[in-house]
Amino acid sequence: MFIPMGTIVTVCMLITVVFANRFPGFGLNRVTPAPVLRVIGIVTGAAGLWNILWYGLQHIGEFWGHMALGSGVVMTLLSAMLVLSQDKIPPVLNIIRPFAVLALAGFAIYYGLTIYNL
């Protein structure tokens, strides 16, 4: 059985949105053990890097290449925050975190709807 990479990346985006947010009452990462967060951060970060370095750069002149670059940068940034302990994250990253989470949620919804409509 073969799962398309777009589906895998979309699922990784959704997982990143769930674990990287700090919205009141929804921060699943507060109750998740640190080793599990590290694994999630590494896996979703790898998917983000794949999105940037493999698909995005190979299709730089196309719409989906731009989408891969944008979503990959945001996903990799948020995934790195999951791997780092909170005291090591620069304060500016915590300030932009809500905007990055919302941007990644938008990318994930667009990817998901596009895959569903194929």
Side-chain angles (χ1 to χ4, degrees):
M1 179 154 172
F2 168 65
I3 300 173
M5 194 62 188
T7 303
I8 294 169
V9 170
T10 304
V11 168
C12 286
M13 281 189 237
L14 292 172
I15 290 170
T16 304
V17 166
V18 169
F19 281 94
N21 76 69
R22 297 285 191 267
F23 299 132
F26 192 67
L28 188 59
N29 56 342
R30 294 177 187 161
V31 296
T32 305
V36 174
L37 284 177
R38 281 189 189 85
V39 169
I40 291 169
I42 290 168
V43 169
T44 58
L49 287 174
W50 181 90
N51 228 13
I52 296 168
L53 299 174
W54 183 256
Y55 193 86
L57 292 179
Q58 285 190 0
H59 300 90
I60 193 94
E62 301 170 10
F63 173 76
W64 283 107
H66 297 163
M67 290 289 285
L69 284 173
S71 63
V73 167
V74 174
M75 185 166 40
T76 304
L77 172 73
L78 290 173
S79 298
M81 287 185 196
L82 290 172
V83 175
L84 296 173
S85 63
Q86 290 302 312
D87 56 339
K88 293 182 182 178
I89 298 174
V92 69
L93 292 183
N94 276 323
I95 292 170
I96 66 167
R97 180 192 305 262
F99 304 107
V101 168
L102 288 174
L104 189 59
F107 279 118
I109 290 168
Y110 193 84
Y111 270 62
L113 289 173
T114 302
I115 291 169
Y116 175 77
N117 288 319
L118 287 179

